Amino acid sequence: MIQKFLYLEWKAFFRSASFATNLALKILMGFVAIYFILIFLALGVGAFYILKKMNLDPIVTVNQFLIYYVLMDLTIRLLLQKIPVMNIRPMLIFPIKKSTIVHFSLGKTVLSFFNLVHCFFLIPFCVVLIIEGYDVVSVMLWYTAIFSLLFSNNFLNILLSNKDNLFAIFLAIAAILGGLHYYGLFNITEFTAPFFNAIFNTYWAFAIPVLVLIVLYYITFQYFKKNLYLDAGLSNKHDVAKTEELTWLNQFGTIGTFLKNDIKLIKRNKRSKTTVGLSVMFLFYGFLFFTNGIEAYNNPIMHIFAGIFVSGGFLITFGQFVPSWDSAYYPLMMTQNIPYKGYLSSKWWLMVIATVVTTTIASFYLYFGWQVYLTIIVGAIYNIGVNSHLVLLGGAYTKTPIDLSSGKGAFGDKKAFNVKTMLISIPQLALPVLLYWLGSKFGNANIGLAIVAGAGVIGFAFKEKAFSLIEKIYKSEKYATIAAYKQKG
């Protein structure tokens, strides 16, 4: 039966309506995977000798910070790791045991890149430990325990996948613990390091993470088996409807009507709430650049890059999926007498308002000086004048139906990847950096900022012409977009 499931997965991949996109994405992701694998390999081989050179005990030092490794692994999974389950509904009409379906679905998650990538750090590190004379049995038991903890994160991610805001909660926990540790107020490693050291120094402590993994797998298995019914776990959840008139928007006509729909969509759905949460996180992205916390980012030219992200978090995360936010009723909407220009203008105004609000909130960057905040303001001007048009233009080619009930995939979806959207995205970040570099090279930093702001003002001045062009493209892509949103596989 498992062999039959694998055969069906293979057929689903090759018969998919987005086969070419899937293949291109997998090739691209293959290069990304190789990049991270090489990084983990370098860390796995070099960590021992780097720590030795610093006069630190490698295994004790690694054990001390493993709690952060495990916490960040879970946090990244909650944000990025999709649950690769099969299409279960058609299987329920066949005489297939529910336990077989669940075991296969859970087994697919074990082969996730988020699990396998850790091998490229842990295995080389363990090999080096053995070569350097550490007890072989201790190393193997330690490896088994750590991998059990990471696989436990895999099943925790599955159990928590339908919970809201957990990514932000775990990220906040990790950040708070790290901050308290850095400033010497509270050191969680004093409580966790003895446990990880015990795993390495005893022959029995490794059993604790293994038992935790077994229990989590059993709980996950029972949870999905219990809910493997069309009228239970596989049915869509419906919240109690709440009426919100937002009548004050009526004065803006057609644009006001679309704005009301967008505001209600953002407030009522998991995916849109997750996107708003991510845009709030972008507010703090500048700390990596403006505090000189990372040496590679300590470059004035890269500050404009940070300014774009800090002021344009909502524009980037929300705008990239216009019109996909409306994919559930887009075919119906296209049968109505709705002007495209009014529809696009409402999205544009929503992004502009969010950019202005974000820039205002980002005024706390004044702590780092007027020049830093001026960079953020210039980034906002460029976002409003140029990037707002580019994300709308890219949306014409992003035919990705969105599941609003899911908080996963806030950074994108595989169908959103294509050459046109990739080319359109280049000016969003590369062009302002290039303009700033040219201004700084042949003048000074203020001239660089003036050129970037000037590009934003010019883009705003040609807004009507840009909208006319974008509207034509949306109309030409209309039927292809409708067809894409109707596809289920």
Side-chain angles (χ1 to χ4, degrees):
M1 184 57 65
I2 298 298
Q3 183 180 1
K4 180 65 70 175
F5 284 153
L6 291 173
Y7 173 75
L8 292 175
E9 291 288 319
W10 182 261
K11 287 291 186 181
F13 174 71
F14 280 100
R15 292 179 176 177
S16 170
S18 56
F19 168 68
T21 301
N22 289 343
L23 188 60
L25 178 70
K26 288 185 183 298
I27 293 173
L28 176 65
M29 293 305 296
F31 287 111
V32 175
I34 291 172
Y35 171 76
F36 281 103
I37 285 171
L38 292 175
I39 290 177
F40 273 72
L41 275 174
L43 287 173
V45 175
F48 181 93
Y49 301 105
I50 293 172
L51 293 173
K52 271 291 187 181
K53 191 174 182 180
M54 298 169 64
N55 296 319
L56 298 172
D57 187 319
I59 189 64
V60 172
T61 305
V62 170
N63 283 336
Q64 181 180 0
F65 293 99
L66 265 177
I67 181 63
Y68 293 113
Y69 188 91
V70 174
L71 266 178
M72 289 309 299
D73 173 66
L74 178 58
T75 303
I76 292 171
R77 288 174 187 271
L78 288 169
L79 177 65
L80 297 178
Q81 183 184 9
K82 291 189 176 183
I83 311 304
V85 294
M86 64 198 311
N87 190 354
I88 292 176
R89 288 183 178 86
M91 297 296 167
L92 297 181
I93 63 175
F94 294 103
I96 304 174
K97 291 182 179 180
K98 288 191 293 183
S99 58
T100 302
I101 297 175
V102 176
H103 277 307
F104 181 77
S105 298
L106 294 180
K108 285 182 64 180
T109 69
V110 173
L111 300 177
S112 168
F113 174 77
F114 291 90
N115 294 322
L116 301 181
V117 70
H118 298 292
C119 295
F120 297 96
F121 167 71
L122 291 174
I123 292 178
F125 184 71
C126 289
V127 170
V128 172
L129 288 176
I130 293 172
I131 292 174
E132 294 295 329
Y134 284 79
D135 181 61
V136 176
V137 177
S138 296
V139 172
M140 295 304 295
L141 294 180
W142 180 83
Y143 172 84
T144 302
I146 303 306
F147 235 96
S148 296
L149 286 174
L150 296 173
F151 274 118
S152 297
N153 279 349
N154 178 75
F155 296 113
L156 271 176
N157 177 49
I158 296 173
L159 290 172
L160 300 175
S161 61
N162 290 324
K163 307 296 182 183
D164 293 334
N165 304 320
L166 282 179
F167 161 73
I169 292 172
F170 279 100
L171 182 63
I173 291 173
I176 291 171
L177 290 175
L180 293 174
H181 187 176
Y182 180 80
Y183 290 106
L185 299 175
F186 174 75
N187 187 357
I188 192 176
T189 63
E190 293 179 357
F191 301 93
T192 59
F195 169 70
F196 290 113
N197 286 328
I199 291 175
F200 188 84
N201 296 322
T202 68
Y203 286 171
W204 59 268
F206 85 97
I208 298 175
V210 174
L211 289 174
V212 170
L213 174 61
I214 294 172
V215 170
L216 276 174
Y217 183 88
Y218 178 78
I219 292 173
T220 308
F221 173 80
Q222 291 297 329
Y223 172 78
F224 277 98
K225 185 178 178 182
K226 180 181 178 181
N227 290 281
L228 202 64
Y229 297 96
L230 289 175
D231 57 351
L234 297 180
S235 63
N236 294 325
K237 304 296 189 296
H238 300 284
D239 295 328
V240 177
K242 297 180 181 179
T243 302
E244 294 174 285
E245 296 298 333
L246 300 174
T247 53
W248 59 276
L249 287 171
N250 291 338
Q251 59 185 308
F252 300 108
T254 303
I255 294 177
T257 301
F258 287 122
L259 281 174
K260 284 195 290 186
N261 290 336
D262 289 331
I263 292 172
K264 292 175 183 178
L265 178 146
I266 290 171
K267 292 176 66 176
R268 295 175 179 177
N269 297 286
K270 285 185 179 181
R271 178 67 176 272
S272 53
K273 289 179 181 178
T274 303
T275 298
V276 172
L278 286 172
S279 65
V280 172
M281 287 176 53
F282 274 64
L283 265 173
F284 305 98
Y285 187 70
F287 284 110
L288 294 175
F289 293 82
F290 302 132
T291 61
N292 301 327
I294 299 179
E295 186 67 26
Y297 295 164
N298 187 17
N299 185 342
I301 294 177
M302 293 301 293
H303 286 182
I304 190 64
F305 183 85
I308 297 292
F309 269 93
V310 170
S311 62
F314 181 83
L315 181 145
I316 294 170
T317 55
F318 180 87
Q320 67 171 321
F321 288 117
V322 174
S324 295
W325 293 111
D326 306 308
S327 59
Y329 53 87
Y330 192 80
L332 174 63
M333 189 168 64
M334 290 297 101
T335 65
Q336 310 301 311
N337 186 22
I338 295 175
Y340 253 121
K341 190 172 184 179
Y343 173 78
L344 294 174
S345 293
S346 70
K347 305 295 184 184
W348 185 84
W349 275 109
L350 185 64
M351 291 186 290
V352 167
I353 293 170
T355 302
V356 172
V357 171
T358 302
T359 306
T360 304
I361 296 174
S363 59
F364 59 81
Y365 280 103
L366 282 168
Y367 175 81
F368 301 105
W370 278 101
Q371 189 71 19
V372 168
Y373 189 54
L374 181 61
T375 302
I376 294 173
I377 293 175
V378 168
I381 295 172
Y382 186 85
N383 279 326
I384 293 173
V386 179
N387 281 348
S388 59
H389 301 146
L390 290 175
V391 294
L392 289 177
L393 179 60
Y397 303 105
T398 305
K399 301 172 177 61
T400 313
I402 288 180
D403 179 9
L404 293 173
S405 64
S406 172
K408 292 285 184 178
F411 276 138
D413 187 273
K414 62 186 179 182
K415 294 179 185 177
F417 172 82
N418 59 60
V419 175
K420 291 179 181 178
T421 54
M422 183 180 68
L423 292 175
I424 291 171
S425 66
I426 292 175
Q428 294 181 27
L429 299 174
L431 183 58
V433 172
L434 176 61
L435 293 175
Y436 182 80
W437 175 79
L438 289 172
S440 300
K441 183 176 178 63
F442 298 104
N444 54 50
N446 289 330
I447 292 178
L449 291 176
I451 293 175
V452 176
V457 172
I458 292 172
F460 184 80
F462 286 92
K463 172 179 174 290
E464 293 301 320
K465 290 189 176 181
F467 263 68
S468 297
L469 173 63
I470 295 171
E471 184 180 7
K472 289 180 182 178
I473 295 174
Y474 268 81
K475 288 180 178 179
S476 66
E477 296 288 330
K478 173 180 176 179
Y479 296 104
T481 303
I482 292 174
Y485 288 162
K486 287 182 177 180
Q487 292 176 355
K488 303 300 182 183

